[in-house]
Amino acid sequence: MSRLRDFYRPADADELRAPLEVNALCEQAIAFTAPKWKANARATGVTIAVNTDFTEVPHIRASAPELRESLTNLIFNAVDAMPSGGTITVSTRADGPNVRINVTDTGTGMTEAEASRCLEPFFSTKGDKGTGLGLAVVYGIVQRHGGTIEIASEEGTGTTFSLLLPATDQTASASGAADESAVNRMLSVLVVDDQEIICELIAAHLSADGHQPVTVSDAAEALARFEAGSFDLVITDQSMPGISGEQLAKKIKERSPGTHIIMLTGFGDDLFPDGKVPEGIGRVLSKPVSSDDLRRAIFEVTS
Ligand SMILES: Nc1ncnc2c1ncn2[C@@H]1O[C@H](COP(=O)(O)OP(=O)(O)OP(=O)(O)O)[C@@H](O)[C@H]1O
Ligand SMILES: [Mg+2]
């Protein structure tokens, strides 16, 4: 459902769009999708190579998580289109007023009819294995960024999806580093909730945005993990058996004052009735948490 909501979501707030380094973002998307094209492919005995062909391109003004999600969807589709292996090439070019990002595969290709319908929501040739939302989400994102998608596909030869996104003459550093680091940095995140399903949901939102979540189901374990690893952000439930989220937050802040904390509260919890958020907690979110709420909260606590 969150993907549907993403698809129909109105334009992103402009403050979430920092000038973005396209090549670095492509690298992140490739790294993030590596489990799918490397390990999965190896397990089934096929080899998929991912090549890059980057050139120096201008920055684009874009939401890094959204662009990363778009590229991820294109790469996943490319992998699906190469059941017996092949090569994916991600290339970047300056193209008039735009930056062009090409994702090319040497897969099955599409018929003309498929190519003309593939951006439609729920259009899929994958049966149970596809929802048909991947490209619809990409289309929505690219549109909101004032860009366009080009598709070149030949049956039996392969497919190239191109995203054309308006270049900006602003550079990342000129717009203020705070902006950039908040939106574009991959964060390592400790997620603490005694309900496993909530952990999974939050972790899925985080992964989709290119962050690295670690989930644990109680505060004692969270503290142990926190000591052992280095986390930029802790997202914790408030009411848990044993140590509460608030106590956990306090302990984490004592050990590492620079770590950001977001607290989750359950339905009906009247925890901070006068709006006074306990010290050290950057933001309180009530469950259920949408990917938008989470993205915004992360943006706020880290900037
Ligand atoms: N690189 C590609 N090569 C061949 N066909 C493709 C490629 N990318 C997309 N398609 C076709 O377009 C259809 C729609 O793609 P889309 O990503 O929207 O949905 P899906 O991959 O089927 O499911 P989901 O992405 O929701 O898991 C695919 O089912 C497939 O037929
Ligand atoms: Mg797909």
Side-chain angles (χ1 to χ4, degrees):
M1 272 326 273
S2 86
R3 294 178 86 194
L4 253 189
R5 197 168 37 228
D6 281 349
F7 177 55
Y8 292 111
R9 183 179 56 200
D12 233 5
D14 261 354
E15 83 267 17
L16 288 180
R17 294 199 186 162
L20 205 79
E21 258 188 65
V22 177
N23 293 339
L25 194 99
C26 290
E27 285 287 7
Q28 288 177 0
I30 291 169
F32 176 59
T33 53
K36 173 134 174 163
W37 52 263
K38 234 187 225 163
N40 285 11
R42 207 184 299 125
T44 52
V46 297
T47 311
I48 289 179
V50 178
N51 295 334
T52 56
D53 175 13
F54 295 153
T55 56
E56 215 172 289
V57 291
H59 287 76
I60 58 175
R61 183 167 280 284
S63 146
E66 291 193 340
L67 247 285
R68 215 155 30 216
E69 181 176 9
S70 300
L71 293 172
T72 299
N73 287 349
L74 294 182
I75 294 171
F76 282 172
N77 281 345
V79 173
D80 290 341
M82 300 191 293
S84 40
T87 304
I88 299 173
T89 307
V90 180
S91 63
T92 55
R93 295 286 180 273
D95 188 337
N98 296 312
V99 172
R100 169 187 289 271
I101 307 172
N102 293 331
V103 178
T104 301
D105 65 63
T106 58
T108 56
M110 286 182 275
T111 65
E112 251 176 63
E114 285 166 357
S116 67
R117 292 196 58 198
C118 67
L119 300 179
E120 286 175 22
F122 305 114
F123 176 82
S124 176
T125 56
K126 297 176 189 169
D128 286 350
K129 293 204 178 100
T131 62
L133 283 176
L135 288 176
V137 167
V138 176
Y139 179 73
I141 289 172
V142 169
Q143 273 225 317
R144 283 202 297 279
H145 283 82
T148 51
I149 300 179
E150 284 179 9
I151 305 165
S153 187
E154 203 173 317
E155 274 182 281
T157 306
T159 304
T160 296
F161 276 89
S162 306
L163 308 185
L164 287 135
L165 296 156
T168 169
D169 45 15
Q170 260 181 302
T171 62
S173 54
S175 84
D179 250 9
E180 258 262 306
S181 63
V183 185
N184 298 345
R185 233 181 81 217
M186 282 198 202
L187 301 173
S188 105
V189 187
L190 185 62
V191 182
V192 194
D193 198 303
D194 54 323
Q195 284 177 280
E196 224 167 273
I197 182 83
I198 304 276
C199 280
E200 275 168 29
L201 185 74
I202 303 266
H205 289 329
L206 291 168
S207 299
D209 281 2
H211 301 304
Q212 290 169 316
V214 170
T215 60
V216 295
S217 57
D218 72 78
E221 196 189 338
L223 273 178
R225 289 302 287 261
F226 188 81
E227 305 279 355
S230 81
F231 293 95
D232 306 302
L233 170 69
V234 176
I235 300 177
T236 177
D237 186 26
Q238 162 64 340
S239 16
M240 293 180 287
I243 309 171
S244 74
E246 199 177 330
Q247 290 167 313
L248 174 66
K250 196 159 166 256
K251 289 200 160 73
I252 283 174
K253 279 290 186 184
E254 280 164 17
R255 285 166 178 71
S256 167
T259 301
H260 305 292
I261 297 181
I262 292 173
M263 178 171 281
L264 308 178
T265 60
F267 177 73
D269 285 357
D270 194 13
L271 289 169
F272 315 116
D274 45 8
K276 262 195 219 135
V277 174
E279 211 182 319
I281 292 167
R283 193 80 162 64
V284 177
L285 283 179
S286 40
K287 295 190 249 185
V289 179
S290 74
S291 60
D292 262 2
D293 295 341
L294 191 62
R295 194 176 290 151
R296 208 160 284 274
I298 291 174
F299 179 77
E300 284 172 12
V301 299
T302 56
S303 47

